[in-house]
Amino acid sequence: MKKGILFVCLALLGTVACTNQATKADSKDDADIVKDILKKGAKLDLRSFEWTRQPQSYTLNGDTLEVVTRPKTDLWQRTYYHFRNDNAPVFQISTAEQYFSFVVRTDFTGSHHRFDQCGVVLYLDSENWLKGSVEYENPEFQHLGSVCTNQGYSDWATTAIPADVKVMWYRLSRRADDFCIECSTDGKKFSQMRVCHMAAATDKIRFGIYACSPEESSFKAKFSDMQVTECMWKAHDGQQPDE
């Protein structure tokens, strides 16, 4: 650990609570957990995830993660706004597995300021990433949407949902270098949000969760019920590829 980084960690009965000012976690070359889960029925262990930039604080208790966001943190690249934001914390594992789905339940009851957000993410580097979340807008509505960033340019596709929705499930699926994000209010019936191609996702990728507050705000986001399954995004059964 680098000098000058404040790191306070309490481990008690399986609970880890941390507050720090670290900017980026040291990378680890762990076994491919996703492959183990799919082939051996292993359990997804959140202790195998890594932070790329840590939040203001977090608590990891078994299979539940609570994150307190730091103000003025976000992910966005260039398009329309012309600014570049690349300081949101992401909590991920890596895999070379080409076909799988990742499911997570998010609880954002504490979101209260414009653009407060938390959700699912696939963060490869500052210019190649994919995220899906609910972003707070005002007491009447919020934005359920996704952003796909390829080669340094972001897009943003959204739909308005009522502001009293405070829980959302996401399912991120991979089929080689193509991806699908789905959402659900009950964790059972999922609806497609986006299908996209990630040019940089040719082999090993990193995926997981993120939370941030782009403006002068901070809130607690809760992530639970994370699991990796066989790919639930089935192969297309309509028009066949061109020869």
Side-chain angles (χ1 to χ4, degrees):
M1 184 164 294
K2 296 179 180 179
K3 293 182 178 179
I5 294 177
L6 174 62
F7 189 90
V8 179
C9 185
L10 172 64
L12 179 60
L13 298 178
T15 299
V16 177
C18 300
T19 303
N20 62 79
Q21 296 175 348
T23 57
K24 186 173 182 179
D26 294 332
S27 62
K28 294 181 293 186
D29 186 17
D30 292 331
D32 196 318
I33 298 169
V34 173
K35 288 184 181 295
D36 287 344
I37 291 174
L38 297 179
K39 293 180 179 180
K40 304 176 184 178
K43 183 179 179 181
L44 182 61
D45 188 347
L46 299 190
R47 293 174 300 178
S48 299
F49 281 57
E50 288 185 304
W51 285 107
T52 299
R53 296 176 299 262
Q54 296 196 13
Q56 181 166 295
S57 65
Y58 70 92
T59 301
L60 179 58
N61 187 358
D63 63 356
T64 299
L65 173 69
E66 292 186 349
V67 174
V68 176
T69 62
R70 196 185 301 276
K72 296 186 177 179
T73 50
D74 195 13
L75 292 174
W76 184 265
Q77 287 288 358
R78 296 183 178 89
T79 307
Y80 179 60
Y81 306 108
H82 303 298
F83 55 66
R84 304 176 67 181
N85 290 336
D86 184 38
N87 61 352
V90 296
F91 191 59
Q92 303 187 119
I93 56 173
S94 63
T95 184
E97 182 64 37
Q98 296 289 299
Y99 300 92
F100 70 90
S101 291
F102 170 65
V103 178
V104 60
R105 178 184 186 272
T106 64
D107 184 327
F108 41 97
T109 303
S111 64
H112 61 281
H113 191 87
R114 189 172 66 162
F115 304 141
D116 281 350
Q117 61 192 267
C118 66
V120 66
V121 69
L122 183 152
Y123 184 88
L124 303 178
D125 56 48
S126 64
E127 297 196 341
N128 298 276
W129 46 265
L130 170 66
K131 69 177 184 178
S133 65
V134 172
E135 298 189 16
Y136 184 90
E137 182 64 29
N138 59 48
E140 297 180 356
F141 74 92
Q142 51 196 342
H143 293 291
L144 169 65
S146 59
V147 175
C148 181
T149 300
N150 273 302
Q151 299 177 339
Y153 288 87
S154 298
D155 66 26
W156 189 27
T158 69
T159 187
I161 63 172
D164 60 0
V165 175
K166 292 301 180 182
V167 171
M168 190 66 68
W169 296 70
Y170 299 98
R171 184 163 68 196
L172 171 67
S173 299
R174 179 186 191 183
R175 298 188 66 84
D177 50 7
D178 294 326
F179 296 85
C180 177
I181 296 181
E182 298 167 284
C183 64
S184 171
T185 56
D186 60 8
K188 299 176 181 178
K189 184 178 180 180
F190 285 83
S191 299
Q192 179 178 298
M193 293 175 61
R194 172 187 290 268
V195 170
C196 65
H197 178 78
M198 295 295 295
T202 56
D203 185 19
K204 181 175 287 189
I205 63 168
R206 293 178 293 163
F207 68 92
I209 59 90
Y210 86 103
C212 63
S213 294
E215 296 189 341
E216 198 63 59
S217 176
S218 178
F219 78 101
K220 180 185 290 186
K222 183 177 181 180
F223 303 88
S224 61
D225 301 275
M226 292 187 229
Q227 59 178 312
V228 171
T229 71
E230 65 179 36
C231 186
M232 302 304 293
W233 181 31
K234 302 305 180 182
H236 180 57
D237 60 359
Q239 178 179 338
Q240 296 302 300
D242 296 336
E243 297 293 336

